[in-house]
Amino acid sequence: MIFLRKLNRFVLLIPTIVGFSCIGTNVLFAEPTWIENQSGSLLETSNWNNGFPSATEAGSITGGTQTISDFTLNDFSLNVKGGTTTVAGIATIGNGTNAVTFNMPSWSELKFTGGLTIKSGSSVNITDGKIGIDSTVASSFDDVTIGVTTDNVANFMTIESGATVTTTRKIRLGREVGSAGTLNVSGMLETSDEHVLVGLMGTGSVNVDGGKLSMTHNNAQMILGDSNDGNCVGNVTITNGGTITGINSFSIGDKSTATGTVTISGKNSGMNVKSSIFVGKEGKGSLSITDGAYISSNQIKIGESSSGNGTMTISGKDSTGTASTVTATDFILVGCNGNGTLNVDSGAKINSKQIMINDTGNGVGTMTISGSGTNVNIDSAFYVGHNGQGALTISDGASVTVGVEFIVGNNKRENSNNILTIDNATLTGNGNHIILGRAQSSHITMRGDNATINFNGRQVCGLAEYGAQDVVFDMEGGAFNVNTTPTTHEGYSLHQNAIQNHSGGTMNIGKSDLQINLQLKDQSVYNLSGNGILNVTGEMNKADSATFNMTGGTLSTNKVNFHLVQEGGNLSPGIVWDENAVYNIGTTTLSDYTLKTGATITLEIAGDTFDQIIVTGNTIFEQGANIELAYDESVLDAGDTFGLFELKGNVTGEEYLQNALSAFDSTTWNVKFDDVSNMVNFTYTGYDPNAVPEPATWGLLSLGVAIFFLRRMKK
């Protein structure tokens, strides 16, 4: 200080003073420095040159080879600039505002044998050198490695809430075969390097519990299982609002021997990926998003390569009703060259531009969508078997909405059998197509009272459009509503040798104010049976080689342009659109018609309006056929006559028409065919309560009384 006071008098002494201050024992401007090659406690003052570090004056480790037995920073900051340093035991960067910088030459090493914990308020910056957290050796790479050679519970780094770690280095967990390392992030971890490798050849685990892991490199990649050597395992969990952001590519089960598992749960817990997520890229991968968590990416590929096997599950909501959500701005591929499985359930949601189940044809893709409130919304296309074998099940109140096209079996591929099952769930197509079995063998099943398919598109709706063989659609329940006209084939169409087995539910081809046709092309077959209801507001057309079989069910249509052979079931003009209507009056025109034994026609009479069947060709009535009449006797007078049939061609079996009426109706109606007007007239004779039927008709009369109570009801 004397020199400073007399500085103005002794200017020529300045170089000497400065030189002294740089090299002397009590250095004027020197920072506290660890004594090289000195081992011992970080808190022992005798292990430091130039005094002991403080909160305002950081200490430095600049070189040498040393072992630090007590690495606990509570009251001062530290810079590690070089040397080979081993930290024995538990390392803690304390509870204050400590700042630690690991800015070492690439040749220098820093090893923690008992784990590293960074507590709230502290910050660590790692810019260079070899940082290893392992019980035996330091990292041999210029990076941060947690778990180098050993599988030890002390191989961990924990960043507590309120703490921050920044690094420019690669992060590796589980470097060698048999090693394991764990990274716990409740605070903030930011890396500007290209890679975070979880389970390189050993086992790596990343737990983001309420914290944030951010990658800032333009090509940032997080890889779970990054080596074909060893049995590498990578695990990532994100909970309590934790996030992983900035990743360009995220691979789960990257290499063929790898297993990767990612679990994301809880509201606001999630992951944002700029480009691609691979679930089972070459190895085995699992991704689970539950309890209101989310992920977003441009592309998601599940089971990408031939050895890849991936499973992705999106499930449920949190306690406030926030749905677990997956967003893909481009597409989701389920089964590329490998095996892929995608499960969506319990009110979860997917929003994607496209979904393709089996994209390339060499693998198998399976997707299930289930549960009330579960929704998959696709802006563009949804393919079940895009180039190969795919299976989709929509069930238990779930819904799928597609903006452009929904296609099963999109492109030709040998030995591919696609499966679509809709079980008490809803599929809505608002764009161009709903095509079932377009170019590949496919089996479609629709069942349950609440199963619904809505076609609101513009071009194609039907089966086997592009030459697919072995396409079968089993409609067992629900409602298939063709609400707009498919213009490409002038209606709902069946192609090739496609088969639609309609044994339950309602097929509404058209609406009350819109006529749409049914087209049976090539060798296609439509089988109406059981409790199936087929409503066609337009015309029914078929090729000579196609087949329409009616052995049961109910047919209501405007016009049939082929010979309808009704072997069973019920032909009923007037489509039921209003469930509250007493009568649904309509006219059905047929080219040729055969009503076989056991088959039924139901005709309604509502005052001045009534159902009518017009046959422009030949008509055959077989003995034992049935005609059911629905009417209100209170508005009828004896002698009222209704021309319920107009038969313009040859008629065979008109003598069976009177006996086709029920036992009750046969006593109150007379049926007569007028071959001049071609009309079959039904004349009401009135009900005589005193009339005593023949003994043989008592059994039939009791059935007729039961029908009487149903006459006021809609058919």
Side-chain angles (χ1 to χ4, degrees), residues 275-296:
S275 180
S276 301
I277 296 175
F278 301 92
V279 185
K281 188 175 184 181
E282 294 181 14
K284 185 177 181 180
S286 174
L287 172 58
S288 176
I289 303 101
T290 63
D291 299 327
Y294 71 91
I295 65 169
S296 66

Side-chain angles (χ1 to χ4, degrees), residues 207-276:
N207 305 309
V208 183
D209 184 12
K212 181 177 182 180
L213 193 162
S214 174
M215 299 184 71
T216 61
H217 194 283
N218 288 335
N219 191 36
Q221 300 177 49
M222 181 175 284
I223 300 174
L224 278 60
D226 188 40
S227 176
N228 287 315
D229 298 324
N231 186 21
C232 43
V233 177
N235 302 302
V236 172
T237 62
I238 307 174
T239 55
N240 295 319
T243 59
I244 296 179
T245 62
I247 299 174
N248 187 63
S249 174
F250 188 88
S251 184
I252 307 168
D254 188 69
K255 296 300 189 293
S256 60
T257 61
T259 299
T261 302
V262 177
T263 301
I264 310 173
S265 63
K267 185 177 180 179
N268 297 324
S269 300
M271 180 168 60
N272 296 309
V273 178
K274 292 182 287 186
S275 180
S276 301

Side-chain angles (χ1 to χ4, degrees), residues 557 580 632 659:
T557 183
N580 297 316
D632 183 354
N659 292 333

Side-chain angles (χ1 to χ4, degrees), residues 223-398:
I223 300 174
L224 278 60
D226 188 40
S227 176
N228 287 315
D229 298 324
N231 186 21
C232 43
V233 177
N235 302 302
V236 172
T237 62
I238 307 174
T239 55
N240 295 319
T243 59
I244 296 179
T245 62
I247 299 174
N248 187 63
S249 174
F250 188 88
S251 184
I252 307 168
D254 188 69
K255 296 300 189 293
S256 60
T257 61
T259 299
T261 302
V262 177
T263 301
I264 310 173
S265 63
K267 185 177 180 179
N268 297 324
S269 300
M271 180 168 60
N272 296 309
V273 178
K274 292 182 287 186
S275 180
S276 301
I277 296 175
F278 301 92
V279 185
K281 188 175 184 181
E282 294 181 14
K284 185 177 181 180
S286 174
L287 172 58
S288 176
I289 303 101
T290 63
D291 299 327
Y294 71 91
I295 65 169
S296 66
S297 182
N298 185 39
Q299 303 172 355
I300 300 173
K301 299 179 181 182
I302 307 171
E304 189 195 34
S305 70
S306 59
S307 60
N309 191 330
T311 299
M312 179 172 165
T313 300
I314 311 110
S315 182
K317 303 178 180 181
D318 79 331
S319 59
T320 66
T322 300
S324 301
T325 303
V326 169
T327 301
T329 54
D330 194 351
F331 58 72
I332 299 174
L333 304 182
V334 185
C336 302
N337 287 301
N339 295 329
T341 301
L342 175 56
N343 302 311
V344 194
D345 60 60
S346 305
K349 298 183 183 299
I350 288 180
N351 298 303
S352 181
K353 183 178 179 181
Q354 294 185 84
I355 288 182
M356 288 174 272
I357 302 177
N358 195 329
D359 175 49
T360 61
N362 296 320
V364 176
T366 303
M367 183 174 181
T368 61
I369 307 167
S370 63
S372 177
T374 303
N375 175 255
V376 174
N377 185 61
I378 307 301
D379 294 335
S380 180
F382 196 144
Y383 300 117
V384 182
H386 184 47
N387 283 302
Q389 185 169 320
L392 171 64
T393 299
I394 314 170
S395 64
D396 300 328

